[in-house]
Amino acid sequence: MSDKESNQTNRSRRSFLKGATGAVVAGVSASAFSGVVQAQQPRIDWNQQRQRNSRRFWRKVKKQFVLDRRTTYMNIGTTGSMPKHVLEGYEDNNKLVAKYPWDMKNKFGSWPYVAEMVADVAPGFGANPDEIILSRNTTDGLCSIINGLHFEPGDVILTTHHEHIAATSPLNVVKHRFGVEVVEIQLPVFTGTEEVTQQDYIEAFREAIEAHQNVRLIVFSHITYKTGTALPAKEICSLAKQHQIPTLVDGAHTVGMFDLDFHDMDCDFYAGSGHKWQCGPGATGILYVRDNGNRLNEYWSDRDNPLWLINSSLSHADHLGKQLQMQYIGNDNYPAKQALVESCKMWDEIGRDRIEARILELSQQCKTQLSYALPDAKMYSPNVEGLMSGLTTFNPLSDVTDKERLTLFRDRLREEYGYIVRTTSFKVHKDDAHQTHALRISTHLFHDERDVDGLVEAIVDLYYSF
Ligand SMILES: Cc1ncc(COP(=O)(O)O)c(C=O)c1O
């Protein structure tokens, strides 16, 4: 089916915009930002909630978010939204720090003020407290590791052709600074026709490892931001281990979406965002450094100091251990870090496995309904167990290289129907002359089946009049 130039019904698409509950929620949101002290709601103990999988339960979760009810926010891949109690605690802690800058009333414990926070979140990620750094974001984590590694001319770094600038930018620095060769692996890209399997991804990495000498690092996204494909991270790390190559995983989209277990995955470094799917405040992230970086000393035994701590005020104090050295970058934003921790606690109480299952359930619904309603649209996110994530990328238009038209489609979807999604651009094949463009939809724990139904209905409606 081609894009239809239709002069069909000019029915009011604005009727899709939801207004009914907007005022109430806007009230909550306004007060949260206005500095007016509100009576805090009693904190919900998510462990105590019965039937933690029922629709009623997820409705209760949804109510914890102050997102504008007149629109449906489906761009968590760019940034998330703090739950109400997290926002309130954040605001209170900001006031406390402003009022008592000297000792912060001992609210965050003793120097370096984050030890308790780290201990609270580490088990939820299958890590020890001395392996978790509360970073600023994924970019911060990736830059700290890539720019800290002691590369030399002739070293090879394997990465993929679908990485984010948060990785490609520091990779470009070490390429020019040290003469490192950065090799982009051609990832299999699902285009809706041929099947893809986890094995296809593992083979792509295996071939690249076997084709290159002196591979010093593998950097890849657990979920690519371009197509929303989840890569078999554990298997790729296992392959790397067989060749004594350390792994650095870009987990911008997995923290808060997947039930992560870093020990089980056995990567060396994992950099993720706190502000996206984990719904913490801006400039928060999680950085995992396995076992004080000790395995790196083993793999890189020919280099005296494989990892320089380039983003630390304590790089000279080796006796403190890498976690504390990397955590301490001077005075920090403790209220923001605490807010991230509160959000993590909510996720842990609900159960990260349940959250992952719920996100994938909604994502599968989204992919299935879109493919059914618009069979000629191109789907770039596999609807396949093990490769699926909470991101859905697809393009309903016949010319997938037409960025302008797709951007207009995205904008009209927001302005006329109230669904907020974004676009992404990528090359299906590394040597493609053109970019392919797609809409990218995020489904999260604060969505429900009706949100997905509404989105698909809106896309179809817009498509037939576009
Ligand atoms: C795959 C990937 N990596 C890194 C980033 C950067 O994330 P942050 O803003 O947390 O640094 C993004 C942001 O969208 C991303 O999609």
Side-chain angles (χ1 to χ4, degrees):
M1 189 193 300
S2 60
D3 310 338
K4 295 206 173 135
E5 298 295 328
S6 162
N7 50 10
Q8 271 180 356
T9 52
N10 194 14
R11 70 187 117 116
S12 170
R13 291 181 192 90
R14 286 186 193 279
S15 63
F16 279 82
L17 292 171
K18 303 171 204 163
T21 55
V24 178
V25 177
V28 171
S29 139
S31 69
F33 289 102
S34 64
V36 177
V37 182
Q38 297 284 306
Q40 287 222 2
Q41 301 190 348
R43 191 178 164 325
I44 299 171
D45 182 349
W46 297 98
N47 274 316
Q48 297 305 314
Q49 299 298 306
R50 291 152 64 95
Q51 296 183 309
R52 280 190 281 167
N53 268 339
S54 67
R55 290 199 174 184
R56 203 157 149 247
F57 173 79
W58 291 115
R59 263 203 304 278
K60 192 160 190 174
V61 170
K62 185 175 187 151
K63 281 196 184 138
Q64 304 314 308
F65 291 84
V66 302
L67 283 156
D68 177 14
R69 292 281 190 265
R70 290 164 303 176
T71 57
T72 305
Y73 182 68
M74 298 182 126
N75 186 18
I76 298 93
T78 295
T79 202
S81 172
M82 279 182 267
K84 258 184 239 173
H85 75 281
V86 174
L87 258 177
E88 288 170 358
Y90 188 25
E91 192 177 60
D92 288 349
N93 283 334
N94 268 323
K95 284 185 190 144
L96 180 126
V97 171
K99 199 164 177 184
Y100 308 105
W102 168 241
D103 62 358
M104 300 182 286
K105 284 283 170 224
N106 210 23
K107 173 83 189 187
F108 310 106
S110 52
W111 183 90
Y113 311 115
V114 294
E116 249 177 63
M117 299 185 206
V118 170
D120 280 342
V121 302
F125 295 107
N128 301 333
D130 64 356
E131 296 175 311
I132 293 290
I133 292 119
L134 299 177
S135 63
R136 276 179 299 178
N137 50 32
T138 304
T139 309
D140 180 40
L142 291 173
C143 285
S144 296
I145 302 302
I146 294 173
N147 287 314
L149 287 168
H150 182 170
F151 291 109
E152 288 184 359
D155 289 350
V156 173
I157 301 177
L158 296 181
T159 187
T160 84
H161 82 305
H162 274 187
E163 297 309 315
H164 189 266
I165 47 171
T168 57
S169 169
L171 287 175
N172 193 47
V173 171
V174 293
K175 174 177 166 180
H176 292 288
R177 190 172 172 200
F178 300 113
V180 170
E181 188 189 350
V182 178
V183 177
E184 288 185 356
I185 298 170
Q186 162 75 53
L187 283 182
V189 178
F190 179 70
T191 53
T193 45
E194 282 178 35
E195 298 267 304
V196 282
T197 64
Q198 286 195 330
Q199 201 53 36
D200 296 332
Y201 290 87
I202 298 166
E203 286 313 314
F205 280 84
R206 188 193 308 281
E207 278 171 28
I209 290 171
E210 288 174 1
H212 294 88
Q213 300 285 317
N214 205 20
V215 178
R216 289 286 170 160
L217 181 69
I218 298 180
V219 183
F220 67 95
S221 292
H222 195 165
I223 295 172
T224 73
Y225 83 105
K226 290 177 184 286
T227 66
T229 308
L231 269 56
K234 183 177 171 180
E235 290 76 6
I236 295 168
C237 291
S238 162
L239 189 62
K241 274 187 293 178
Q242 290 164 29
H243 296 265
Q244 300 221 313
I245 305 168
T247 40
L248 167 59
V249 186
D250 175 341
H253 297 283
T254 49
V255 173
M257 183 206 283
F258 279 178
D259 182 16
L260 295 167
D261 185 332
F262 294 139
H263 284 166
D264 183 56
M265 184 184 298
D266 208 10
C267 54
D268 291 276
F269 307 102
Y270 198 101
S273 310
H275 65 94
K276 294 183 191 283
W277 298 81
Q278 187 55 66
C279 293
T284 56
I286 299 278
L287 172 64
Y288 168 76
V289 176
R290 182 190 178 281
D291 182 29
N292 239 342
N294 280 332
R295 191 159 64 186
L296 194 61
N297 296 324
E298 191 189 315
Y299 290 174
W300 287 28
S301 55
D302 59 331
R303 307 256 157 103
D304 279 348
N305 189 14
L307 182 63
W308 291 86
L309 304 183
I310 49 107
N311 190 15
S312 164
S313 310
L314 295 170
S315 63
H316 54 288
D318 283 341
H319 64 284
L320 294 174
K322 292 238 171 4
Q323 191 279 334
L324 182 48
Q325 289 179 287
M326 296 182 86
Q327 183 66 68
Y328 193 62
I329 52 167
N331 200 50
D332 216 327
N333 187 342
Y334 306 109
K337 304 232 143 135
Q338 186 66 57
L340 170 63
V341 172
E342 295 309 322
S343 201
C344 286
K345 282 184 191 164
M346 176 176 166
W347 261 236
D348 290 338
E349 284 175 17
I350 294 175
R352 288 180 183 273
D353 52 345
R354 284 197 179 85
I355 292 173
E356 175 178 328
R358 175 67 176 159
I359 290 171
L360 293 184
E361 181 182 32
L362 293 172
S363 177
Q364 186 175 32
Q365 181 196 340
C366 182
K367 290 170 172 65
T368 306
Q369 287 184 198
L370 281 172
S371 299
Y372 182 76
L374 297 169
D376 292 329
K378 276 261 183 295
M379 178 68 71
Y380 298 102
S381 310
N383 196 351
V384 172
E385 201 186 326
L387 295 175
M388 206 204 300
S389 78
L391 292 170
T392 298
T393 48
F394 97 115
N395 190 330
L397 308 181
S398 59
D399 181 0
V400 294
T401 66
D402 191 339
K403 185 178 183 182
E404 225 170 282
R405 229 168 118 63
L406 190 67
T407 304
L408 182 66
F409 193 95
R410 177 203 67 191
D411 291 345
R412 285 188 56 188
L413 195 61
R414 183 183 68 250
E415 288 159 12
E416 298 174 25
Y417 299 83
Y419 290 91
I420 300 172
V421 303
R422 66 160 276 186
T423 51
T424 60
S425 306
F426 51 89
K427 288 189 174 177
V428 172
H429 299 286
K430 242 168 63 162
D431 44 11
D432 279 354
H434 63 269
Q435 295 272 348
T436 294
H437 304 281
L439 298 172
R440 193 184 75 184
I441 300 153
S442 305
T443 42
H444 206 5
L445 81 175
F446 47 69
H447 295 127
D448 59 24
E449 286 77 1
R450 280 180 310 173
D451 291 325
V452 177
D453 288 343
L455 169 79
V456 174
E457 205 182 315
I459 288 176
V460 172
D461 190 67
L462 177 59
Y463 172 76
Y464 281 113
S465 62
F466 197 67

